[in-house]
Structure formats: structure tokens, C-alpha cells
Amino acid sequence: RKEVEQDPGPFNVPEGATVAFNCTYSNSASQSFFWYRQDCRKEPKLLMSVYSSGNEDGRFTAQLNRASQYISLLIRDSKLSDSATYLCVVTGTNAGKSTFGDGTTLTVKP
Amino acid sequence: NAGVTQTPKFQVLKTGQSMTLQCAQDMNHNSMYWYRQDPGMGLRLIYYSASEGTTDKGEVPNGYNVSRLNKREFSLRLESAAPSQTSVYFCASNGQDWQPQHFGDGTRLSIL
């Protein structure tokens, strides 16, 4: 079993839709959690951190459920520019290094 | 803000050639990382350095060597390039293990 697992998708949604991604992690001792965005053939960029209380940044909401060991990302009112691959990242495992999920691909269509 | 700078951005090599990929960060970060990403795949950690003077193997270290030259610079060397090493290579850094990593914009390497 991978340390961090994501549904690879692809998720194809119309503009304006709400879409949610989940990510599960196996190490209960994990310390911190992030969502990254990666555009085709570009570097991953930090989208947002994920806190136990949940956090929101505009149209994006991230949540952490430590008991069930998963994190989620909700995107409301999808835009064409949201089309990308979203990577779930967990740290505090594996000698302190970050573990990246393989990503979930989102395509937002007109 | 430069952040993490990688050079070169593109490189084509012949099988058996050697080369060094350079990475430098100006954020005074302790930890630095090298990843490779093959088409349609996730990131795989090659080597990392938790601090100046230390390096450790990641998931896929075979065929690579690294040098943490100083706090700013972390280089990746291919001693004898093979076609299987054709990939996009990303360097990243962070201040502490639990903090998010910042990535350079990658080196696209093709080995013929």
C-alpha cells in the first residue's frame, strides 16, 4: 500500500461545478499536510496548507480528518484555469521527508 | 525573488555521457531535494540533503550522485547517462522537514 493515495481521475467537470478530491495516508504520525497544483510539464506549486480545523482560500477549501487519515480539497465554482493536476503531500513520515501523492487530474470544460 | 534556480533548463545527452544538474536556493533553507518525474507519473525522490554536509538516498538513487556544496547549492550528477534517465528533474527546498517544499522550474533531460 502506498503511503499516500489519491484517485488519479481524470475528473472532467463543466465550468461552475463543484469538485472534491480526497487523499488517504497510512502513517498516523504524519505531521503536516499540503495541497499542491501542477500544470502540465511545470513545477509543483503550493496551493494551500491543510489544518485540522479546516481552512479556506477563496474558492478552495481543505480539510483534514486525522481519525480517518484523509485530507480533502473542495473547489467551488470551477474555472477553466483550475485545470491541472492536484498533488496531496504529507510530511512527518519516512524520516521526516515529504511524501507526494501521484496526483489527481482535473479538466474544467466550457 | 529567485527562490529555487535550476540550470540548465533543457539538455540532450548521448548514452554514456556525464553531466551535472545545478540547483541553488536563496531562502536560507536547510533541506534540499532532487526528484525525477517521468511522463504521466508522480514525483520520485532521488536524493535529499537535510543540512549542509549531509546527503541521503531517496526512492530511486541508482545511477546518480549528489553534492551539497554549501547551504545554497545541491547538485545532481549523472556519471554515465542511460536512456532510462530521460525525465524532468526538479530540485526543491524547505526550511524544516514539516514545512512545504519550494520547487525550481525543472530540467528537461533527454538521453539518446
Side-chain angles (χ1 to χ4, degrees), chain A residues 45-94:
Chain A
K45 293 184 179 179
L46 179 66
L47 181 64
M48 59 197 304
S49 302
V50 188
Y51 305 114
S52 297
S53 55
N55 49 300
E56 190 173 304
D57 182 2
R59 298 181 292 107
F60 298 84
T61 300
Q63 292 195 311
L64 166 64
N65 185 318
R66 282 192 182 272
S68 300
Q69 295 181 210
Y70 77 83
I71 69 173
S72 64
L73 177 68
L74 182 75
I75 305 175
R76 293 181 298 278
D77 189 22
S78 299
K79 311 291 185 190
L80 295 176
S81 58
D82 293 334
S83 297
T85 297
Y86 292 83
L87 308 176
C88 164
V89 183
V90 176
T91 71
T93 63
N94 195 8

Side-chain angles (χ1 to χ4, degrees), chain B residues 6-82:
Chain B
Q6 291 184 235
T7 56
K9 295 193 185 311
F10 301 93
Q11 184 71 49
V12 178
L13 293 177
K14 294 181 179 178
T15 298
Q17 288 185 314
S18 62
M19 80 161 295
T20 299
L21 280 60
Q22 307 286 353
C23 175
Q25 51 90 11
D26 62 2
M27 297 173 282
N28 200 35
H29 283 167
N30 292 315
S31 300
M32 298 185 73
Y33 309 82
W34 276 106
Y35 295 90
R36 62 177 287 175
Q37 188 173 36
D38 300 329
M41 306 291 286
L43 295 166
R44 290 189 290 172
L45 182 66
I46 305 170
Y47 271 94
Y48 72 102
S49 170
S51 62
E52 184 179 350
T54 68
T55 61
D56 285 286
K57 295 179 180 179
E59 182 185 354
V60 289
N62 291 344
Y64 305 94
N65 287 302
V66 290
S67 295
R68 184 74 182 267
L69 305 171
N70 47 55
K71 192 171 186 179
R72 291 188 63 248
E73 298 173 288
F74 188 37
S75 63
L76 178 72
R77 183 163 179 82
L78 287 70
E79 291 290 352
S80 179

Side-chain angles (χ1 to χ4, degrees), chain A residues 20-65:
Chain A
F21 307 136
N22 287 329
C23 167
T24 58
Y25 61 95
S26 60
N27 191 330
S28 60
S30 299
Q31 290 181 291
S32 51
F33 308 86
F34 308 99
W35 283 103
Y36 278 69
R37 170 195 171 122
Q38 185 174 26
D39 293 293
C40 186
R41 296 185 63 76
K42 297 285 186 71
E43 76 275 21
K45 293 184 179 179
L46 179 66
L47 181 64
M48 59 197 304
S49 302
V50 188
Y51 305 114
S52 297
S53 55
N55 49 300
E56 190 173 304
D57 182 2
R59 298 181 292 107
F60 298 84
T61 300
Q63 292 195 311
L64 166 64
N65 185 318

